[in-house]
Amino acid sequence: MAEVRPDEVSAILRKQLSGFESNIDVYEVGTVLQVGDNVARIYGLNNCLAGELIEFPNDIFGMALNLEEDNVGCVLFGEATGVKEGDIVKRTGKVASMPVGEELLGRVIDPLGRPLDGRGVINTEQLMPIERKALGVLQRQPVNEPLQTGLKAIDSMIPIGRGQRELIIGDRQTGKTAVALDAIINQKYTHTEEAAKRGVDPVYCVYVAIGQKASTVAQVHAKLEEMGAMAYTTIIMADANTPAPMQYIAPYSGATLGEFFRDSGRHSLVVYDDLSKQAVAYRQLSLLLRRPPGREAYPGDVFYLHSRLLERASKLSDKLGGGSLTALPIIETQAGDVSAYIPTNVISITEGQIYLEPGLFFAGVRPAINVGLSVSRVGGAAQTKAMKKVAGTLRLAMAQFRELEAFAAFGSDLDKATQAQLTRGERLVQVLKQPQYQPLSHEKQVTILYAATRGYLDNFPSDTVAKYEAGLYPFVEERFPEIFTKLEAAQDITDEVEGLLKKALEAYGEEFKDTIK
């Protein structure tokens, strides 16, 4: 990623300030009492606003966070080495804002809107405040439109709707980012002419990287570019090398850009990767600002840190254009402890969670979704009729299989019904496996899940399921293309489509039997 010179900070912020008419007749000035660790204390700014931009010497800006009786605590967005005790600072009268617009699509920016991809200045005049109050209940409507991730395990058992907040949680290196990236890549189908004909609105994506290694973010950018997803995606990057204030405001910047699309009647998806690192950055700032530490040294308002961010995700009422902002926050757990402080905070804010289990991941079940601990509180409201029909019993079958699997390990004398459940469960586990960066279209998911839940796979060895699936799609496309076209058009399994599905699966089963002999 391209480096940004310190003097570019002021250029961006000055541009932001020039877009406003200040309501301060005479700029109030103050004096720096002390500075260190990207935090400064200022005397004299008696009428300072919370979240206001403060101008320091040497083209450095900061944001007021602590408004105390005799001083203002301020976090710095630039290098603190340019600020020293006794420096004169002045109010701007404006809260921190960032540029928004279609011009940001395909770009890598920092939380203040500065380009980091070396592709020049972003020409947009529109600005929105980084912190905004979430809309009330009357301005919203229920979540009822699917946001398809392309992952069979999620779209069938833990469906996500446009406007929902679904937490992705698990230990490090269990595939959390991979799930989010697949969801972004799969939105490519919403930008096609076929989707437009069917009335599917495009989804614009924002990926917010907080506290990640810069090399990791560069790999994410390269992969999204390779898959053609950067055309409708913006990456907001506050990597591990950036100061804590930037990591703290990064998710709010992502929400602001998502709200730009939502408020104009469009749909957006924002991934916060990850909020546990934002909480650590906020804890650092709070302790430096001398705010009282609470549990695990987090400040008392750490719940509000995430609730005011995630409350901004919503599906707007038709009166306001019907746009949506979907949030996929990511939280990293320590040794699978979902009952820790930050994980329980975010679980209680979101409408469900996708829990990724290390044991499943290392056993080769990827995505490593634990069906028992994962849930979507929107449920079938965010599914198509076709998916509801094929996935209705899937979650229960998987949960029963996990119970029986543990039981069967202790004895081999099982009745036929139990053996049949184990056989079906083994095939379902294999069907729900999916390689990374290969999201599936809705009609393909419905076809393979119909085959699995209706028993068409039970007579084949479980280690041949991947081969069965790989051959099924080209077979249907070639011999029964109307199945895919009708499923895509109606999003439902009509009697006609079901008849064609049975015919196709029986014919394919006969052919596949010969290939595995």
Side-chain angles (χ1 to χ4, degrees):
M1 298 296 172
E3 287 295 319
V4 178
R5 300 191 311 275
D7 60 327
E8 288 183 324
V9 182
S10 70
I12 294 283
L13 291 170
R14 284 186 194 286
K15 184 181 175 184
Q16 292 182 17
L17 295 175
S18 67
F20 297 99
E21 289 182 13
S22 177
N23 49 14
I24 302 177
D25 296 326
V26 178
Y27 278 104
E28 288 191 43
V29 295
T31 310
V32 176
L33 294 174
Q34 63 180 76
V35 64
D37 294 310
N38 284 95
V39 168
R41 289 195 172 276
I42 303 157
Y43 172 78
L45 301 180
N46 296 334
N47 299 323
C48 187
L49 305 170
E52 183 178 344
L53 281 173
I54 307 294
E55 189 175 348
F56 288 79
N58 301 317
D59 286 332
I60 294 170
F61 280 82
M63 184 170 73
L65 283 186
N66 269 26
L67 304 180
E68 297 177 25
E69 195 174 343
D70 56 350
N71 71 81
V72 171
C74 184
V75 295
L76 302 175
F77 291 136
E79 280 298 321
T81 51
V83 180
K84 61 183 187 298
E85 188 180 325
D87 280 346
I88 301 298
V89 303
K90 61 182 180 182
R91 287 183 62 198
T92 62
K94 310 303 165 202
V95 294
S97 304
M98 71 167 288
V100 293
E102 281 85 0
E103 295 84 359
L104 275 77
L105 294 173
R107 302 299 299 268
V108 182
I109 60 172
D110 78 354
L112 294 171
R114 296 174 291 173
L116 297 174
D117 50 13
R119 288 172 48 201
V121 178
I122 298 167
N123 294 311
T124 175
E125 298 301 319
Q126 197 170 345
L127 295 164
M128 285 172 66
I130 285 170
E131 290 262 19
R132 285 177 78 198
K133 187 180 176 186
L135 292 170
V137 175
L138 294 178
Q139 282 85 42
R140 304 177 182 223
Q141 63 173 302
V143 173
N144 52 24
E145 195 179 347
L147 184 130
Q148 289 165 1
T149 63
L151 295 168
K152 291 169 284 188
I154 293 176
D155 291 344
S156 59
M157 296 185 292
I158 317 148
I160 300 171
R162 294 186 179 187
Q164 190 177 341
R165 301 161 297 181
E166 184 79 10
L167 172 63
I168 301 171
I169 187 168
D171 285 9
R172 64 184 302 274
Q173 299 293 312
T174 50
K176 301 185 296 299
T177 302
V179 168
L181 291 183
D182 277 341
I184 290 174
I185 291 165
N186 193 54
Q187 300 319 306
K188 194 175 179 181
Y189 88 92
T190 68
H191 293 263
T192 60
E193 287 181 16
E194 292 78 12
K197 285 175 189 170
R198 292 202 333 267
V200 176
D201 296 317
V203 177
Y204 299 92
C205 304
V206 183
Y207 176 79
V208 186
I210 312 150
Q212 309 288 325
K213 288 191 294 186
S215 59
T216 305
V217 185
Q219 286 171 359
V220 167
H221 176 242
K223 178 52 73 173
L224 291 176
E225 197 81 71
E226 179 192 329
M227 303 298 288
M230 278 307 290
Y232 52 85
T233 304
T234 303
I235 294 177
I236 298 179
M237 174 175 158
D239 63 49
N241 291 326
T242 55
M246 296 291 259
Q247 294 183 43
Y248 156 61
I249 66 165
Y252 301 107
S253 298
T256 296
L257 185 53
E259 282 176 333
F260 163 75
F261 292 108
R262 181 201 67 185
D263 295 348
S264 59
R266 290 175 286 182
H267 301 271
S268 58
L269 166 67
V270 186
V271 175
Y272 306 111
D273 190 6
D274 67 69
L275 290 187
S276 41
K277 290 192 177 70
Q278 188 213 11
V280 168
Y282 186 60
R283 174 172 63 184
Q284 179 184 328
L285 290 180
S286 298
L287 293 173
L288 290 167
L289 288 165
R290 309 294 292 171
R291 292 181 179 179
R295 177 176 163 186
E296 295 169 35
Y298 286 105
D301 65 338
V302 76
F303 179 89
Y304 183 55
L305 173 80
H306 291 147
S307 63
R308 74 178 189 266
L309 168 71
L310 294 169
E311 280 297 323
R312 291 165 71 175
S314 60
K315 171 102 166 105
L316 295 191
S317 64
D318 290 332
K319 190 178 176 183
L320 292 177
S324 72
L325 168 56
T326 309
L328 293 182
I330 294 175
I331 288 284
E332 186 181 292
T333 53
Q334 307 290 328
D337 186 11
V338 290
S339 62
Y341 190 25
I342 302 301
T344 48
N345 276 358
V346 184
I347 285 170
S348 65
I349 297 164
T350 51
E351 287 99 33
Q353 67 276 346
I354 297 164
Y355 176 59
L356 300 171
E357 192 181 326
L360 290 173
F361 184 84
F362 295 122
V365 179
R366 299 175 190 179
I369 296 170
N370 180 315
V371 181
L373 291 177
S374 301
V375 65
S376 170
R377 297 188 186 101
V378 170
Q383 276 181 314
T384 63
K385 288 179 182 175
M387 189 60 82
K388 273 190 215 174
K389 286 178 181 175
V390 295
T393 59
L394 184 59
R395 191 185 177 89
L396 182 63
M398 286 297 296
Q400 287 176 336
F401 167 68
R402 291 294 176 206
E403 291 289 322
L404 285 173
E405 190 182 32
F407 173 74
F410 295 103
S412 56
D413 202 14
L414 302 170
D415 60 274
K416 278 190 174 179
T418 306
Q419 286 175 347
Q421 271 190 312
L422 283 168
T423 300
R424 177 71 55 84
E426 284 168 5
R427 274 59 177 178
L428 290 175
V429 168
Q430 295 301 318
V431 162
L432 293 176
K433 288 182 181 179
Q434 196 165 335
Q436 194 175 346
Y437 307 129
Q438 292 181 28
L440 276 181
S441 64
H442 170 260
E443 56 274 15
K444 287 181 178 177
Q445 288 188 49
V446 170
T447 302
I448 188 63
L449 289 170
Y450 184 91
T453 54
R454 302 301 192 274
Y456 286 95
L457 289 167
D458 291 358
N459 296 325
F460 301 118
S462 60
D463 59 359
T464 64
V465 169
K467 187 179 176 185
Y468 178 98
E469 185 181 356
L472 176 62
Y473 306 136
F475 176 85
V476 173
E477 278 172 349
E478 188 182 326
R479 302 264 287 275
F480 297 88
E482 60 271 34
I483 291 177
F484 285 168
T485 52
K486 288 178 189 295
L487 275 174
E488 190 181 3
Q491 304 278 293
D492 193 7
I493 300 177
T494 59
D495 292 341
E496 182 193 357
V497 170
E498 187 158 20
L500 285 168
L501 269 171
K502 286 177 178 174
K503 196 174 170 185
L505 291 169
E506 282 164 11
Y508 179 66
E510 289 301 317
E511 280 192 19
F512 185 70
K513 208 182 286 182
D514 298 331
T515 65
I516 59 171
K517 281 180 182 175

